[in-house]
Amino acid sequence: MTEIEALAVTGAGVVSPAGFGLAALRGWDGAAQPALSGPRRDEDYPPIPLVGIEGIDPEQYLGRKGVRHLDWTTKIALVACNRALAELDPPLAPDAGTRTGVVIGTSTGSIRSSSEFSRETLVQEKPYLVRANLFPNTVMNCCAGQVAIFNGLRGVNATIAGGQLSSLSAIRYARNAIVGGHIDGALVGGVEELCPQSAWGWHLSGRLTGDTAVGEGCAVFLVESLASAAAAGRTPLAELLACEVVSAGSDDRPVTSHRVTAAVRRALERSGVAPADVSTVSWGCTGHVGLERAELRGVRAALGGRVPAGSVRVTEVAGESFSASGALQLAALLAHWAPDGSAGEGSGEIGLVTSIGQDGMVGALVVRRR
Amino acid sequence: MSGTPRRVVVTGLGAVSSLGIGAHTFAAGIREGRSGVSQIRAFDATGFPHTVAGEVHQFVPEEVVRRLRVGDWGRTALFAASAARLAADDSGLDAGVLAAARTGSVVGTTSGESAVIEALTGQWVRDGFKRLDPALIRQVPANQIATAVNSELGLRGEAQTIATACSASNYALGYAYDMVRTGEADFMISGGADSINRWAHAGFYRLGALAESVCRPFDRNRSGILTAEGGVALLLEPLEHAVNRGARIYAEVLGYGVNCDASHPVSPDPTSIAACIRAAHRNAGVSPADIDYICAHGTGTPTNDATEVKAVREVFGDRLPPISSIKSMIGHTMGAASGFGALICCLALHEGFLPPTANITEVDPALGPDLDPVPGRSRPASPRVVQNHGFAFGGNNAITILGRVA
């Protein structure tokens, strides 16, 4: 088992029900979650807690051109990417676009888009009377493609469907593309849209506890090699160490906590980090029936029978955001360390991001504070 | 990532296609220039002006998978898992060895479990959201596709589903190659899968990209794509391991290139595709003169033909390698398309032939001189290095390079 090369996180863009940016994730005070308002309030949602992104106008950030026909998934991702790049210091060089990629985690693309488009083939007088300009929205890579178009990013452009582990799988994909020399860096993250389809899906699945809100959000990071960050003069907010993903294999009876333990141990070993050095865990299974306990037990066992004092539960802020969860967990970890995104006291601290999918996939990401 | 990079070879092939089940059945159809296109039965095509597609009629998943409970999985996941099972069997690797090693899977798709989403949409239209079937909801996230592969083969490594539309299985092959090359994995299953569905059929029709009944890339009278489906899988292992166990080696994965047009969501860009070809050559350590054959993206639309040939000319100049499109026979299998391309490239290298382009009556003179689309039936040849194209909505280009093991 080889040690992995650390990658730099040099920028972050976050759009969540808590608001804009890392600071909003930290600033949330545990009061009542923002309820759904606006036009979405009147749609056919199930009777469960919901939290949505409110009060942003994507056109304010993106301009009007080419925005109108895009769906919410793509719009919130574009805004998050826009913020990540806008706050980059120094910004991407004009010629960096060819060496910069996009890796977005999403499990279905906009399920609202594909579902509504599919619906048209059933309810229109003729099945083909769909709107051609909405067809690209139904394809899962629409969002990543638009991020590239809006920002001139011509490096590898990937869409990773990993369910609950989408964002962590996106980080793995990006790591390989960067270390393999295909790109110097990439906007990497995950996105999830709250819509009746996803809310009903969660509600009918029975997989969330009754008080857990279904949410949405997008977090993206500029992830680059340490050399690329240094050459550009960008100070990392954090370093991404190992990101391990394992699956259930042939186990008939899931022993999920053991798999969590194995994934965390492997990630720590490959990061050259001792279990005792982990000071914060950013949890992924908050509100998931059964899995929350497995995650806790698994992490505790991997960390030598203790749970660190630092504990981040972004689901309490953003709701359950499925494909975006890993990225929002990472964002919340960075916010926990330094809400203004600056390096400071406690540099070198180690954080752990964990995730379990209902399909038996388990992921662990090790992060070092800068 | 690790010490010395390893050479990576393909030792197992699996196909679930409109030309039949199994890589060799599929290849036999391709070599004869046979059509896998037929009347659509997977959905009610009443009311559509065009009613044929490359549908896989003979697929009985129960006859292929050994571990999955078929009722728990969507059609696309079953395509992927079945192709993976066939590839694993074809490799001759012991199933226990595969499962005990650090083996993962990576599968490309365009529309994921589109047939499942359409079934749920039907329930929504008829009875409202309240009556959606929870068993179907579980099948919706596209990650279920690679997860099905891991579950079927008992794999413990990662299960990556890459959703970069119609170049997705080339992305998957590139990633799988890197995982084995760097020692991150011992073996990888790389594949692609998609199901035909009403919404894509309607969407392509409305874009004006759908042919009526025949797909004829590079032909003067071509009129568009035919939607299609299927599953494909390649088993990748280190060369040294394959040699030591005396495995049949189809081909070596030499490298790949990936980039993005970043210009238009559905209209491809020849300059960007040329850059992708050059990146793939660099990554694979080959030059244009080394390429003996190109398995084209070749969708059958006038735009694709013009763009793809222009890009190839930009890189290859006057010496164009033979370039053919298997979509002329099986239609556009979307996320599986470049996987089927990779599979036929492996067999072309191993068995010594060039796959044909079917349905050509007259090569379009507008595409320029000396274009050899290998019309009709396959041609005996001894290609040593071949290039496999995959382009997609979103400007997602991915090109893989495969070679005969020297």
Coordinates of all heavy atoms in Angstrom, one line a residue, chain B residues 351-400:
Chain B
E351 N -7.4 -10.8 -33.5 CA -7.8 -11.8 -34.5 C -7.4 -11.3 -35.9 O -7.4 -12.1 -36.9 CB -9.3 -12.0 -34.5 CG -9.7 -12.7 -33.2 CD -11.2 -12.9 -33.1 OE1 -12.0 -12.5 -34.0 OE2 -11.6 -13.5 -32.1
G352 N -7.0 -10.0 -36.0 CA -6.5 -9.5 -37.3 C -7.5 -9.2 -38.3 O -7.7 -9.8 -39.3
F353 N -8.3 -8.1 -38.0 CA -9.3 -7.6 -39.0 C -9.6 -6.2 -38.8 O -9.2 -5.6 -37.7 CB -10.6 -8.5 -39.0 CG -11.4 -8.3 -37.7 CD1 -12.4 -7.3 -37.6 CD2 -11.1 -9.1 -36.6 CE1 -13.1 -7.2 -36.4 CE2 -11.8 -9.0 -35.4 CZ -12.8 -8.0 -35.3
L354 N -10.2 -5.5 -39.7 CA -10.7 -4.2 -39.5 C -12.2 -4.2 -39.5 O -12.8 -4.8 -40.4 CB -10.3 -3.2 -40.6 CG -8.8 -3.0 -40.8 CD1 -8.5 -2.0 -41.9 CD2 -8.1 -2.6 -39.5
P355 N -12.9 -3.7 -38.4 CA -14.4 -3.7 -38.4 C -14.9 -2.8 -39.5 O -14.3 -1.8 -39.8 CB -14.7 -3.1 -37.0 CG -13.4 -3.1 -36.3 CD -12.3 -3.1 -37.3
P356 N -16.0 -3.2 -40.1 CA -16.6 -2.4 -41.2 C -17.5 -1.3 -40.8 O -17.9 -1.2 -39.6 CB -17.4 -3.5 -42.0 CG -17.9 -4.4 -40.9 CD -16.8 -4.4 -39.8
T357 N -17.9 -0.5 -41.8 CA -19.0 0.4 -41.7 C -20.1 -0.2 -42.6 O -19.8 -0.4 -43.8 CB -18.7 1.8 -42.2 OG1 -17.6 2.3 -41.5 CG2 -19.9 2.8 -41.9
A358 N -21.2 -0.5 -42.1 CA -22.3 -1.1 -42.9 C -23.1 0.0 -43.6 O -22.9 1.2 -43.2 CB -23.2 -1.9 -42.1
N359 N -23.9 -0.4 -44.5 CA -24.9 0.5 -45.2 C -24.3 1.6 -46.0 O -25.0 2.6 -46.3 CB -25.8 1.2 -44.1 CG -26.4 0.1 -43.2 OD1 -26.8 -1.0 -43.7 ND2 -26.5 0.4 -41.9
I360 N -23.1 1.5 -46.4 CA -22.5 2.6 -47.3 C -22.8 2.3 -48.8 O -22.4 1.2 -49.2 CB -21.0 2.7 -47.1 CG1 -20.7 3.3 -45.6 CG2 -20.4 3.6 -48.1 CD1 -19.3 3.7 -45.4
T361 N -23.4 3.2 -49.4 CA -23.6 3.1 -50.9 C -22.6 4.0 -51.6 O -22.0 3.6 -52.6 CB -25.0 3.4 -51.4 OG1 -25.7 4.0 -50.3 CG2 -25.7 2.2 -51.8
E362 N -22.4 5.2 -51.0 CA -21.5 6.1 -51.6 C -20.8 7.0 -50.5 O -21.5 7.7 -49.8 CB -22.2 7.0 -52.6 CG -21.2 7.9 -53.4 CD -21.9 9.0 -54.2 OE1 -23.2 8.9 -54.3 OE2 -21.2 9.9 -54.7
V363 N -19.5 6.8 -50.4 CA -18.8 7.7 -49.4 C -19.0 9.1 -49.8 O -18.9 9.5 -50.9 CB -17.3 7.3 -49.3 CG1 -16.6 8.2 -48.3 CG2 -17.2 5.8 -48.9
D364 N -19.4 9.9 -48.8 CA -19.7 11.3 -49.0 C -18.4 12.0 -49.5 O -17.5 12.2 -48.8 CB -20.2 12.0 -47.7 CG -20.7 13.4 -48.0 OD1 -20.5 13.9 -49.1 OD2 -21.2 14.0 -47.0
P365 N -18.5 12.5 -50.8 CA -17.3 13.2 -51.3 C -16.9 14.4 -50.6 O -15.8 14.8 -50.5 CB -17.7 13.5 -52.8 CG -19.2 13.4 -52.9 CD -19.6 12.4 -51.8
A366 N -17.9 15.0 -49.9 CA -17.6 16.2 -49.1 C -16.7 16.0 -48.0 O -16.1 16.9 -47.4 CB -19.0 16.8 -48.6
L367 N -16.5 14.7 -47.6 CA -15.6 14.4 -46.5 C -14.1 14.4 -47.0 O -13.2 14.2 -46.2 CB -16.0 13.1 -45.9 CG -17.4 13.0 -45.2 CD1 -17.7 11.6 -44.8 CD2 -17.4 14.0 -44.0
G368 N -13.9 14.5 -48.3 CA -12.6 14.6 -48.8 C -12.0 13.3 -49.3 O -12.7 12.3 -49.2
P369 N -10.8 13.4 -49.9 CA -10.2 12.2 -50.6 C -9.7 11.2 -49.6 O -9.4 11.5 -48.5 CB -9.1 12.8 -51.4 CG -8.7 14.1 -50.6 CD -9.9 14.6 -50.0
D370 N -9.6 10.0 -50.1 CA -8.8 8.9 -49.4 C -9.4 8.5 -48.1 O -8.7 8.2 -47.2 CB -7.4 9.3 -49.3 CG -6.7 9.5 -50.6 OD1 -7.0 8.9 -51.6 OD2 -5.9 10.5 -50.7
L371 N -10.7 8.7 -48.0 CA -11.4 8.2 -46.7 C -11.8 6.8 -46.9 O -12.5 6.4 -47.8 CB -12.6 9.1 -46.5 CG -13.4 8.8 -45.2 CD1 -12.5 9.2 -43.9 CD2 -14.7 9.5 -45.1
D372 N -11.3 5.9 -46.0 CA -11.5 4.5 -46.1 C -12.4 4.1 -44.9 O -11.8 3.7 -43.8 CB -10.2 3.7 -46.1 CG -10.5 2.2 -46.1 OD1 -11.6 1.8 -46.2 OD2 -9.5 1.5 -45.9
P373 N -13.7 4.0 -45.1 CA -14.5 3.6 -43.9 C -14.8 2.1 -43.8 O -15.6 1.6 -43.1 CB -15.9 4.3 -44.2 CG -15.9 4.5 -45.7 CD -14.5 4.4 -46.2
V374 N -14.0 1.3 -44.5 CA -14.1 -0.1 -44.6 C -15.5 -0.6 -44.8 O -16.2 -1.2 -44.0 CB -13.6 -0.8 -43.2 CG1 -13.3 -2.3 -43.4 CG2 -12.3 -0.1 -42.7
P375 N -16.0 -0.2 -46.0 CA -17.5 -0.4 -46.2 C -17.9 -1.9 -46.3 O -17.1 -2.7 -46.8 CB -17.7 0.2 -47.6 CG -16.3 0.3 -48.2 CD -15.3 0.4 -47.1
G376 N -19.1 -2.2 -45.8 CA -19.7 -3.5 -46.0 C -19.3 -4.5 -45.0 O -20.0 -4.7 -44.0
R377 N -18.3 -5.3 -45.2 CA -17.9 -6.4 -44.3 C -16.5 -6.1 -43.8 O -15.7 -5.3 -44.3 CB -17.9 -7.7 -45.0 CG -19.3 -8.1 -45.5 CD -19.2 -9.3 -46.5 NE -18.7 -10.5 -45.8 CZ -19.5 -11.4 -45.2 NH1 -20.8 -11.2 -45.2 NH2 -19.0 -12.4 -44.6
S378 N -16.1 -6.8 -42.7 CA -14.8 -6.6 -42.2 C -13.7 -7.1 -43.2 O -14.0 -7.9 -44.1 CB -14.6 -7.4 -40.9 OG -14.4 -8.7 -41.1
R379 N -12.5 -6.6 -43.0 CA -11.4 -6.8 -43.9 C -10.2 -7.4 -43.1 O -9.9 -7.0 -42.0 CB -11.0 -5.5 -44.5 CG -9.9 -5.6 -45.5 CD -9.4 -4.1 -45.8 NE -10.5 -3.2 -46.3 CZ -10.3 -1.9 -46.2 NH1 -9.2 -1.3 -45.8 NH2 -11.3 -1.2 -46.6
P380 N -9.6 -8.5 -43.6 CA -8.5 -9.1 -42.9 C -7.4 -8.0 -42.9 O -7.1 -7.3 -43.9 CB -8.1 -10.3 -43.8 CG -9.2 -10.5 -44.7 CD -10.0 -9.3 -44.8
A381 N -6.7 -7.9 -41.8 CA -5.6 -6.9 -41.7 C -4.8 -7.3 -40.4 O -5.2 -8.2 -39.6 CB -6.2 -5.5 -41.5
S382 N -3.7 -6.7 -40.2 CA -2.9 -6.9 -39.0 C -2.6 -5.6 -38.2 O -1.5 -5.2 -38.1 CB -1.6 -7.6 -39.3 OG -1.8 -8.7 -40.2
P383 N -3.7 -5.0 -37.8 CA -3.4 -3.7 -37.1 C -2.6 -3.9 -35.8 O -2.7 -5.0 -35.1 CB -4.8 -3.2 -36.7 CG -5.7 -4.4 -36.7 CD -5.1 -5.3 -37.7
R384 N -1.7 -3.0 -35.5 CA -0.9 -3.1 -34.3 C -1.3 -2.1 -33.2 O -1.2 -2.4 -32.1 CB 0.6 -3.0 -34.7 CG 1.2 -4.3 -35.3 CD 2.6 -4.1 -35.7 NE 2.8 -2.9 -36.5 CZ 4.0 -2.3 -36.8 NH1 5.1 -2.8 -36.3 NH2 4.1 -1.2 -37.5
V385 N -1.6 -0.9 -33.7 CA -2.0 0.1 -32.8 C -3.3 0.7 -33.3 O -3.4 1.1 -34.5 CB -1.0 1.2 -32.5 CG1 -1.5 2.2 -31.6 CG2 0.3 0.6 -32.1
V386 N -4.3 0.8 -32.5 CA -5.6 1.4 -32.9 C -6.1 2.4 -32.0 O -5.7 2.5 -30.8 CB -6.7 0.3 -33.1 CG1 -6.2 -0.8 -34.1 CG2 -7.1 -0.3 -31.8
Q387 N -7.0 3.2 -32.5 CA -7.5 4.4 -31.7 C -9.0 4.4 -31.7 O -9.7 4.2 -32.7 CB -7.0 5.6 -32.5 CG -7.5 7.0 -32.1 CD -6.7 8.1 -32.9 OE1 -5.6 7.9 -33.2 NE2 -7.4 9.1 -33.2
N388 N -9.6 4.5 -30.5 CA -11.0 4.4 -30.3 C -11.6 5.7 -29.8 O -11.3 6.2 -28.8 CB -11.2 3.3 -29.2 CG -12.7 3.0 -28.9 OD1 -13.5 3.0 -29.8 ND2 -13.0 2.8 -27.7
H389 N -12.6 6.2 -30.6 CA -13.1 7.5 -30.3 C -14.4 7.5 -29.5 O -15.3 6.6 -29.7 CB -13.5 8.3 -31.6 CG -12.3 8.8 -32.4 ND1 -12.4 9.5 -33.6 CD2 -10.9 8.7 -32.1 CE1 -11.1 9.8 -34.0 NE2 -10.3 9.3 -33.1
G390 N -14.6 8.5 -28.6 CA -15.8 8.7 -27.9 C -16.0 10.2 -27.7 O -15.2 10.8 -27.1
F391 N -17.1 10.7 -28.2 CA -17.4 12.1 -28.0 C -18.8 12.2 -27.4 O -19.6 11.2 -27.5 CB -17.4 12.9 -29.4 CG -16.2 12.6 -30.2 CD1 -16.3 12.4 -31.6 CD2 -14.9 12.5 -29.6 CE1 -15.2 12.1 -32.4 CE2 -13.8 12.2 -30.4 CZ -14.0 12.0 -31.8
A392 N -19.2 13.4 -26.9 CA -20.4 13.4 -26.2 C -21.0 14.8 -26.1 O -20.3 15.8 -26.2 CB -20.3 12.9 -24.7
F393 N -22.3 14.9 -25.8 CA -22.9 16.1 -25.3 C -22.0 16.6 -24.2 O -21.4 15.9 -23.4 CB -24.3 15.8 -24.7 CG -25.4 15.7 -25.7 CD1 -25.2 15.6 -27.1 CD2 -26.7 15.7 -25.3 CE1 -26.2 15.5 -28.0 CE2 -27.8 15.6 -26.2 CZ -27.5 15.5 -27.5
G394 N -22.1 17.9 -24.0 CA -21.2 18.5 -23.0 C -19.8 18.7 -23.5 O -18.9 19.2 -22.8
G395 N -19.5 18.3 -24.8 CA -18.1 18.4 -25.3 C -17.2 17.5 -24.6 O -16.0 17.8 -24.5
N396 N -17.7 16.4 -24.1 CA -16.8 15.5 -23.3 C -16.1 14.5 -24.3 O -16.7 13.5 -24.6 CB -17.6 14.7 -22.3 CG -18.1 15.5 -21.1 OD1 -18.7 15.0 -20.2 ND2 -17.8 16.8 -21.1
N397 N -14.9 14.8 -24.6 CA -14.2 13.9 -25.6 C -13.3 12.9 -24.8 O -12.6 13.3 -23.9 CB -13.3 14.7 -26.5 CG -14.1 15.8 -27.2 OD1 -15.2 15.5 -27.7 ND2 -13.6 17.0 -27.2
A398 N -13.2 11.7 -25.2 CA -12.3 10.7 -24.6 C -11.9 9.7 -25.7 O -12.7 9.2 -26.5 CB -13.0 10.0 -23.5
I399 N -10.6 9.5 -25.8 CA -10.0 8.7 -26.8 C -9.1 7.7 -26.2 O -8.2 8.1 -25.4 CB -9.3 9.5 -27.9 CG1 -10.4 10.4 -28.7 CG2 -8.5 8.7 -28.9 CD1 -9.8 11.4 -29.6
T400 N -9.2 6.4 -26.5 CA -8.3 5.4 -25.9 C -7.5 4.8 -27.1 O -7.9 4.8 -28.2 CB -9.1 4.3 -25.2 OG1 -10.2 3.8 -26.1 CG2 -9.7 4.8 -24.0

